Structures are given as structure tokens and as C-alpha cells.
Amino acid sequence: MVVVSSEKLGYALDTAQQAIQAGQVVCLPTDTVYGIGADPFSYDAVTALLTAKSRTRAMPPPVLVSSVEQAQTLVAQLPDSARAVMAEFWPGALTVILPAREELGWDLGETFGTVAVRMPDDAVTLEFLRRVGPLAVTSANKTGQKPATDISRAVEQLSDAVAVYIDGGTSPGGVPSTIIRWNSADDSYEVLRQGALSREDLTRVIKLQESA
């Protein structure tokens, strides 16, 4: 286990990238709370991620991406309305669930053929995602305990289950992301969790896209 400061950004990202490539788990700052991430294409890495969290595959992790374009490499279809919402609110506290590409060949758990994608509003983590590609990420805490808003709380809960901790200072915390599930068949959507973004925010953007 190693803790590195994001002030030494190149070294921090290099160290974390080596851990991801070795199938290990890393801890990253985000725009809400600290998260732990792993290679979504590695069964063993996802298992290590879920084990660190004390979680089973019945609760699969979302996937963080660096852009709409990176998200598009993971999804089978991206409806215009979903793309419009991503363009408006990413990076930010919006998670979008869409059908996953069948050829991905990954096993995040019981996703029922979908993937939950989000682009976090954190410069350090976005740079890391541009380097290593999409990451399966969940909040940096044991299931049932409070998510960590600073690196010491993450280390206290997760210890050696995480190989590299990137210390980005105190995270903003606050309201979690809004989660939307899209039905590509009829371009309808369902708000599964209202978080930082309201239904009114989402409806406004979707109506503007539909009237364009």
C-alpha cells in the first residue's frame, strides 16, 4: 500500500497506472467522495474491488469515463436525448445506465446487460481516465460505513485492500449523483435516484433536444 499526493501528479498517476495494469485497486478523488477503482475488463480486478468494498456481484459498480466519446465505446446504443443530457451535465453528478456492448466480454456483476457510466468533475481523475481508459469505481468505504471524504478515512477503512491511494485533499462530499436508466427501444428514461440534478433539470434539456 502506498499513499501519494496529487501535487506530484505525474508520479501519482504513473504509480496508480502500474497498479491498474497489475490488476490491483486504486483510490481516487472525485467531485463527490473518494472512490476506489479497478480495470473493468479484468474479472480478478473487479473481484478485488468488490472484496475491498465487502460487496458481492449482486451490486455491480458503475464505470467512470473521461468523455462522452469514451462512454460510447461501452454502450450498444446512445440515444440523442441521452447524449444531450451527457453533453449538458458532464462532467458532473449524473450517472446514465444504458445497454452495454455485448462484445465487451467483461463481468461487473449482475448488470442485466447494462452499464452505468459517469464522467466525474475532478481534474486528477479525468486525467487518469484519459490515461488508462474506463474504470469500474465505487465509493471508498466498506459497505454500511460512511464514504471517505479524505484519504485518511479511506486508508482507515480499506487499508491494504487498495494498492495505491491518490491524496487529492478533502473531497466536496455533498449530494450523490442522479441516476437515470434509459430504454433505448423507445427512447424513454426513468430516474432511479434523484441526486444533485433535479428531474426539472433533465426534462428541460431533453425537451430542448426534442424540439431542435
Side-chain angles (χ1 to χ4, degrees), residues 110-128:
E110 297 175 14
T111 63
F112 303 101
T114 65
V115 58
V117 288
R118 183 168 95 84
M119 180 182 176
D121 191 8
D122 183 273
V124 172
T125 295
L126 285 176
E127 177 60 29
F128 191 57

Side-chain angles (χ1 to χ4, degrees), residues 188-203:
S188 63
Y189 68 94
E190 177 185 5
V191 178
L192 300 184
R193 181 180 74 191
Q194 183 167 315
L197 300 175
S198 69
R199 294 173 187 269
E200 290 74 20
D201 292 331
L202 300 167
T203 301

Side-chain angles (χ1 to χ4, degrees), residues 6 9 13 16-17 26-33 35 63-71 86 89-94 117-135 137 166 168:
S6 63
L9 186 59
L13 297 183
Q17 184 172 2
V26 302
C27 182
L28 302 161
T30 77
D31 48 341
T32 53
V33 296
V63 175
L64 294 190
V65 295
S66 64
S67 64
V68 175
E69 291 71 27
Q70 198 175 80
M86 290 174 172
F89 297 115
W90 277 8
L94 173 69
V117 288
R118 183 168 95 84
M119 180 182 176
D121 191 8
D122 183 273
V124 172
T125 295
L126 285 176
E127 177 60 29
F128 191 57
L129 293 167
R130 284 189 282 269
R131 280 189 174 213
V132 303
L135 286 178
V137 174
I166 297 182

Side-chain angles (χ1 to χ4, degrees), residues 6-74:
S6 63
E7 293 180 357
K8 300 178 179 179
L9 186 59
Y11 173 71
L13 297 183
D14 286 346
T15 304
Q17 184 172 2
Q18 290 168 10
I20 290 294
Q21 291 171 342
Q24 297 173 316
V25 179
V26 302
C27 182
L28 302 161
T30 77
D31 48 341
T32 53
V33 296
Y34 274 84
I36 51 173
D39 180 359
F41 298 97
S42 166
Y43 179 89
D44 290 341
V46 172
T47 298
L49 178 72
L50 295 174
T51 299
K53 179 81 174 178
S54 298
R55 179 176 286 183
T56 70
R57 276 182 155 73
M59 298 181 69
V63 175
L64 294 190
V65 295
S66 64
S67 64
V68 175
E69 291 71 27
Q70 198 175 80
Q72 199 165 2
T73 67
L74 306 176

Side-chain angles (χ1 to χ4, degrees), residues 72-195:
Q72 199 165 2
T73 67
L74 306 176
V75 303
Q77 295 175 315
L78 183 56
D80 289 342
S81 52
R83 183 190 296 274
V85 168
M86 290 174 172
E88 178 72 16
F89 297 115
W90 277 8
L94 173 69
T95 300
V96 182
I97 300 176
L98 289 159
R101 290 180 182 263
E102 292 184 2
E103 64 269 25
L104 288 175
W106 62 13
D107 181 6
L108 296 178
E110 297 175 14
T111 63
F112 303 101
T114 65
V115 58
V117 288
R118 183 168 95 84
M119 180 182 176
D121 191 8
D122 183 273
V124 172
T125 295
L126 285 176
E127 177 60 29
F128 191 57
L129 293 167
R130 284 189 282 269
R131 280 189 174 213
V132 303
L135 286 178
V137 174
T138 185
S139 58
N141 61 285
K142 292 286 188 181
T143 297
Q145 298 186 32
K146 290 185 178 180
T149 54
D150 61 60
I151 207 69
S152 63
R153 294 183 184 180
V155 172
E156 180 182 354
Q157 292 193 52
L158 302 168
S159 188
D160 291 334
V162 173
V164 177
Y165 293 82
I166 297 182
D167 185 357
T170 302
S171 65
V175 182
S177 68
T178 294
I179 301 177
I180 311 175
R181 180 170 58 202
W182 239 274
N183 182 351
S184 298
D186 59 4
D187 201 14
S188 63
Y189 68 94
E190 177 185 5
V191 178
L192 300 184
R193 181 180 74 191
Q194 183 167 315

